Amino acid sequence: MAINLTAYHQILGELAPYKARLVAVSKTKPVEDVEALYEAGQRIFGENYVQELVDKEAVLPHDIEWHFIGHLQSNKVKYIAPFVKMIHAVDSLKLLTEIHKQAQKNNRVIDCLLQLHIAAEETKFGLDETELYDLLDTWQQEQTQFSGVRIAGLMAMATNTTDETQIRKEFHQLHSIFDTVKNKYFSAQDYFKERSVGMSADYTLALQEGSTMVRIGSMLFGERNYNK
Ligand SMILES: *Cc1c(COP(=O)(O)O)cnc(C)c1O
């Protein structure tokens, strides 16, 4: 078996005091590995690629809660809208509008997280602070046009660095923007509560800085090989 059950139980132990949840990131990994972690009790799995997610969902148990954590193109929302539980990386009004449309077609409400750009790298996706507030202003003015989506919180990725001070600063920034957004737009909505931050390399810091959801792949499933 390729999965690391020792790491799985260790992570669950670390999450428990914070009441944070684990998204097991299974992208590029075979169905058998997902099944093995499912057998161990895991129910929330995260995927980055639409076709791979659709293929896995079709053959795996139906009580799995699938989270889409990658960059999502609007024209592909329709393939995952029938079943996806949460979309983590929403970074435009266009995408949010399309998720709403496809959710309605399926008589569903899909939980979405807005992706905030906190990393120093230019290449990572996500909204800057101004874009975030612009999007939320529109959402607030036209809420009936977004009844198929529920904005459940924020998501971010820290800079890929070993500098803990830098990473901590970025997670801290996310948390403070979360508090501002919560007060300004969601003070009466208890579903706006998620901070999806932390991966294999930095989830311990993320938890200390208020993460409610960590997305962990390689620590559970081993390193990914993209050229198989
Ligand atoms: C792949 C991925 C992860 C998991 O990364 P690991 O370093 O393998 O834990 C988490 N979040 C996102 C958005 C990813 O694309």
Side-chain angles (χ1 to χ4, degrees), residues 2-3 25-34 47 52 56 60 217-218 220-225 228:
I3 68 165
V25 178
S26 48
K27 64 183 175 208
T28 80
K29 297 297 176 182
V31 161
E32 292 72 33
D33 288 1
V34 178
E47 289 281 340
E52 184 179 350
K56 281 178 174 162
L60 282 158
S218 44
L220 296 168
F221 296 107
E223 293 301 321
R224 286 175 293 275
N225 175 8
K228 328 176 259 218

Side-chain angles (χ1 to χ4, degrees), residues 25 27 48 69 155 157 199-200 215-218 224:
V25 178
K27 64 183 175 208
N48 289 54
I69 64 168
M155 176 266 199
M157 286 166 89
M199 311 181 11
S200 293
R215 309 176 308 266
I216 297 182
S218 44
R224 286 175 293 275

Side-chain angles (χ1 to χ4, degrees), residues 91-102:
D91 61 358
S92 74
L93 205 55
K94 182 179 171 219
L95 180 57
L96 196 68
T97 306
E98 180 63 15
I99 297 169
H100 156 72
K101 254 175 61 185
Q102 297 299 334

